[in-house]
Amino acid sequence: MSATKTILYVNACVRGESRTNKLAKRVLETFEGEIEEVKLSDLIEPIRSEGFITYRNHASEGKDFSDPAFAQALQFARADVIVIAAPYWDMSFPAILKAYFEQINVIGVTFEYTEEGFPRGLCRADKLVYVTTAGGPIISDEYGFGYVKALAENFYGIKEVIQIKAEGLDVVGADVLSILDDAYKKWDFKPLK
């Protein structure tokens, strides 16, 4: 019998009735396993200071990740699948998601550097699903999804990075439920066993 899979749900939605969150919850239902949710708006951010960065670098060099400051990175690295829900704001995603990436980018946990100086991923996940919604059109995927995809593939070692997006939700006359349903139906679902 195989161990239960862990699906990490990184929720960057701040609105109570977030359409992005609703779409992501539907995606989560397709996976079998234990869902661990990280609601970014509820996290207490670590202090961003030179002292903290120095401490973090020293801990990485010594491979001592016992401090709670590394809990999010360790959780991310051990997940089997990662689902990120982030609304499309200002041609990207909420700033709390960028802060989260800064927190989990830990040498020796989520990635390491090769002798040639290139990053090599240390994360277990082989799939990351990025879910986003927008009131209007998504002008460019480059700054939101593109950024996440580059991190996942180049730093974390995640091979399959998928975007599920629903756009035009606030256009006058838009059938929001239909747009969300169509976005869900378009993605190429491969079940996790």
Side-chain angles (χ1 to χ4, degrees):
M1 180 174 230
S2 64
T4 301
K5 301 292 184 180
T6 301
I7 297 94
L8 179 61
Y9 177 40
V10 180
N11 182 351
C13 305
V14 296
R15 292 187 173 113
E17 293 298 313
S18 168
R19 299 172 295 198
T20 308
N21 186 42
K22 288 178 184 176
L23 183 56
K25 295 277 186 173
R26 198 166 166 196
V27 170
L28 287 166
E29 290 173 1
T30 63
F31 293 112
E32 295 177 13
E34 180 181 334
I35 297 171
E36 295 179 6
E37 181 174 356
V38 176
K39 186 159 179 48
L40 299 184
S41 61
D42 292 344
L43 291 180
I44 297 171
E45 291 292 325
I47 296 170
R48 306 259 189 239
S49 66
E50 183 176 353
F52 175 77
I53 299 300
T54 301
Y55 165 75
R56 189 166 129 165
N57 291 345
H58 179 71
S60 287
E61 289 169 7
K63 303 278 187 203
D64 178 9
F65 305 112
S66 58
D67 190 293
F70 299 107
Q72 293 167 26
L74 292 165
Q75 180 185 42
F76 191 92
R78 75 169 186 265
D80 295 297
V81 170
I82 298 162
V83 175
I84 297 176
Y88 183 75
W89 288 0
D90 303 319
M91 294 189 64
S92 187
F93 44 70
I96 55 174
L97 183 56
K98 177 65 167 81
Y100 175 76
F101 286 130
E102 288 180 16
Q103 182 64 19
I104 66 166
N105 285 349
V106 178
I107 298 171
V109 177
T110 52
F111 74 101
E112 63 187 1
Y113 285 108
T114 65
E115 289 181 13
E116 297 80 22
F118 294 102
R120 176 175 37 225
L122 298 175
C123 294
R124 180 186 308 165
D126 58 0
K127 180 183 303 223
L128 184 147
V129 181
Y130 181 79
V131 181
T132 191
T133 62
I138 293 178
I139 304 301
S140 171
D141 290 331
E142 183 177 346
Y143 306 110
F145 174 64
Y147 176 82
V148 173
K149 182 176 171 127
L151 274 176
E153 291 176 344
N154 297 300
F155 276 82
Y156 307 142
I158 301 172
K159 294 177 179 34
E160 186 177 3
V161 185
I162 302 161
Q163 176 178 226
I164 299 172
K165 64 180 177 178
E167 44 191 332
L169 300 177
D170 294 336
V171 173
V172 175
D175 183 346
V176 173
L177 294 178
S178 179
I179 294 170
L180 291 171
D181 193 47
D182 287 346
Y184 173 77
K185 289 177 181 175
K186 283 181 188 174
W187 78 295
D188 184 21
F189 172 63
K190 295 174 187 157
L192 175 72
K193 298 293 181 190

